[in-house]
Amino acid sequence: MRSAIRNGVLIKEDEAVVPVTYREVQYSFSVYEALRIISGHIVHMDDHLKRLKESCRDINLVHPFTDEMIESSVNALIEKDSIKDATARIFLVGGPSPMYFVTYSDLLAYPDSYYKEGVGVTLYYGERFLPRAKTSNLLMQYIALEEAKKAGAFEALLVNRKGQVLEGTRSNFYGIAGKRIYTASDDLVLSGITRISVLKAAEELGFEIVYTPPTDVNLHMFDSLFISSTSMGAMPVSTVNGNMMKRDRWDAIASICTLEREWE
C-alpha cells in the first residue's frame, strides 16, 4: 500500500481521510496544489508553495504549516515509497484545526498523438468563483469537463458573460496570431505554474504576450489555439465544439512545450 502525509506525519494512504462532519470540508474551505515528481525531484516546488500560500490568503484560510514542513513532508514521502515519477497532490483544509495531506498517483502523461494531432475542446458558459485561488470548489469544472467528455472532447473552455474564453477546467488557454499570443490577464484566471513558464518560453521565442483573451466569436481567426497545464505542458487545440481550428503555428506550440519542459 502507498504511503501519504497528514500534518507532517507519514501514514498509510487509506488513512488520508477527512471527517465528513467537519464544516470546512462540507463548505470546500480548502486549497490544493498538484505537482510533478520527475526522477525523484519535485518540479517547481518553490512556485507551488508560493501559490499555495497565495490561495490561502485569497480565501482568508489561515494555516500554521511552514514551507519547510510541507516540502520536507513531500521529500519524506518520496523517500519512504521510493517514488521516481509521480503526480503529487497537496491538500490543505482550513478551520479551527487545519490539516494538510500529501498523496500521490501515477504520473499523468498523454499520448504523442495529442501533441501531433491536437485535442478537441468544448465551450462551457460559466465563471469560476475566486479564479485566482486554487480551491477545491470545483463543481462547475467537474460538470463542464463531464459534458466535454460526453461530446468526445478532451477539455472544456470556460466562457464568461462577456464571451471571453478565459481558461480550461484544468488548463490555461491561448490564441496565437502572427507573433502575438493572446491570453486572459492574471486577475481573471488561475495563473498556473506552467502558464508562467509557457509565457516565458514564448517570449524567449520572440512572441509578444497580449493579455486580452480570445472570444467565443473570434476563435476561428487565430493561427492556432493551445492549452497548458502541469501535466500536459503546452498542447494544441484541433477543434472547438467540433469545428476545425487553424494549425498554422503548431510548430511554435511544440517549441514552447519543449522549452518549458527543459526548465523542469
Side-chain angles (χ1 to χ4, degrees):
M1 176 175 291
R2 288 175 171 172
S3 303
I5 296 288
R6 180 178 60 217
N7 290 358
V9 179
L10 278 163
I11 58 175
K12 296 179 180 179
E13 186 182 59
D14 62 3
E15 296 174 348
V17 296
V18 294
V20 296
T21 57
Y22 202 54
R23 180 170 177 266
E24 285 69 24
V25 172
Q26 296 176 357
Y27 280 67
S28 297
F29 187 56
S30 50
V31 299
Y32 73 98
E33 285 291 323
L35 51 151
R36 283 158 56 88
I37 299 173
I38 305 294
S39 300
H41 166 70
I42 310 167
V43 178
H44 301 311
M45 186 62 179
D46 290 343
D47 293 328
H48 282 288
L49 290 173
K50 178 182 177 182
R51 189 172 63 179
L52 186 71
K53 289 187 291 187
E54 291 173 348
S55 294
C56 288
R57 285 197 297 268
D58 285 345
I59 64 173
N60 296 319
L61 190 160
V62 179
H63 70 87
F65 311 112
T66 65
D67 288 353
E68 292 75 18
M69 182 178 183
I70 296 175
E71 183 171 5
S72 64
S73 295
V74 180
N75 283 320
L77 186 59
I78 291 172
E79 182 177 357
K80 174 66 169 57
D81 284 12
S82 301
I83 301 171
K84 298 301 180 183
D85 300 317
T87 298
R89 185 182 181 93
I90 303 169
F91 178 63
L92 198 161
V93 183
S97 302
M99 62 184 79
Y100 81 90
F101 298 86
V102 182
T103 56
Y104 70 96
S105 58
D106 294 340
L107 185 66
L108 188 58
Y110 302 100
D112 290 343
S113 61
Y114 284 22
Y115 298 91
K116 295 177 180 178
E117 301 170 15
V119 294
V121 302
T122 57
L123 299 182
Y124 185 89
Y125 290 81
E127 299 179 34
R128 264 197 328 119
F129 179 62
L130 298 174
R132 288 172 55 88
K134 197 172 181 70
T135 73
S136 57
N137 183 358
L138 299 171
L139 178 59
M140 185 185 71
Q141 288 94 314
Y142 179 87
I143 293 172
L145 185 56
E146 287 303 302
E147 289 189 4
K149 290 178 180 178
K150 289 178 182 177
F154 172 77
E155 172 68 301
L157 303 179
L158 306 179
V159 187
N160 68 10
R161 67 195 71 183
K162 298 179 180 179
Q164 296 172 318
V165 186
L166 301 181
E167 59 187 334
T169 65
R170 50 185 170 157
S171 62
N172 290 111
F173 175 64
Y174 319 81
I176 303 178
K179 293 297 291 183
R180 293 179 176 178
I181 290 181
Y182 292 79
T183 188
S185 57
D186 287 347
D187 61 318
L188 296 177
V189 299
L190 179 68
S191 182
I193 304 305
T194 301
R195 169 179 155 100
I196 294 171
S197 296
V198 161
L199 295 177
K200 179 182 176 183
E203 288 180 322
E204 290 207 7
L205 292 169
F207 286 94
E208 175 189 355
I209 309 303
V210 181
Y211 290 100
T212 301
T215 69
D216 54 355
V217 296
N218 72 4
L219 293 176
H220 66 283
M221 299 174 62
F222 286 89
D223 296 331
S224 290
L225 307 173
F226 69 101
I227 53 179
S228 74
S229 74
T230 295
S231 61
M232 68 184 69
M235 185 179 292
V237 170
S238 57
T239 63
V240 177
N241 286 345
N243 299 310
M244 295 294 297
M245 296 292 111
K246 295 180 182 178
R247 306 185 177 202
D248 298 349
R249 298 311 312 271
W250 280 21
D251 58 335
I253 298 170
S255 296
I256 291 171
C257 188
T258 298
L259 186 54
E260 187 277 326
R261 286 306 195 205
E262 286 178 357
W263 292 335
E264 294 184 348

